[in-house]
Amino acid sequence: MAADTSSEKEKAPDIRRLLSPKSIAIIGASANPASMGARALATLRRFNYAGDIYPVNPKQDQIDGLPCVASVADLPKGVDAAIIAIPQAGV
């Protein structure tokens, strides 16, 4: 088995932001407790996620005390990860 060369290591994508995100957008966030968006937010809170959470919902001003943005285009630059919790047709 050959040892990794530095050029092979440079080709590997840096996935630290995905594995340990400092910010997460929930696309399709909802106040309806039965929805995937609400369950995603509840899970982040239950496990004491310490980063920034950005709910994305064009019909709500806020969800669970967090201000909503209307679209992905309204998110601040540099959000590390996103949970897509919208109906299949929207995906």
Side-chain angles (χ1 to χ4, degrees), residues 52-70:
D52 295 322
I53 301 171
Y54 298 101
V56 179
N57 184 315
K59 297 177 183 176
Q60 300 290 320
D61 291 329
Q62 64 90 25
I63 294 174
D64 198 26
L66 295 172
C68 290
V69 296

Side-chain angles (χ1 to χ4, degrees), residues 6-24:
S6 64
S7 64
E8 288 174 349
K9 289 180 182 177
E10 290 173 14
K11 293 178 185 176
D14 184 0
I15 60 170
R16 287 178 284 187
R17 288 175 63 190
L18 182 61
L19 297 176
S20 187
K22 294 179 182 168
S23 58
I24 298 175

Side-chain angles (χ1 to χ4, degrees), residues 32-81:
N32 177 350
S35 73
M36 290 298 295
R39 293 190 316 212
L41 178 56
T43 299
L44 290 171
R45 294 206 188 246
R46 181 175 41 241
F47 289 99
N48 298 314
Y49 174 72
D52 295 322
I53 301 171
Y54 298 101
V56 179
N57 184 315
K59 297 177 183 176
Q60 300 290 320
D61 291 329
Q62 64 90 25
I63 294 174
D64 198 26
L66 295 172
C68 290
V69 296
S71 73
V72 171
D74 296 326
L75 288 168
K77 289 188 179 194
V79 173
D80 291 324

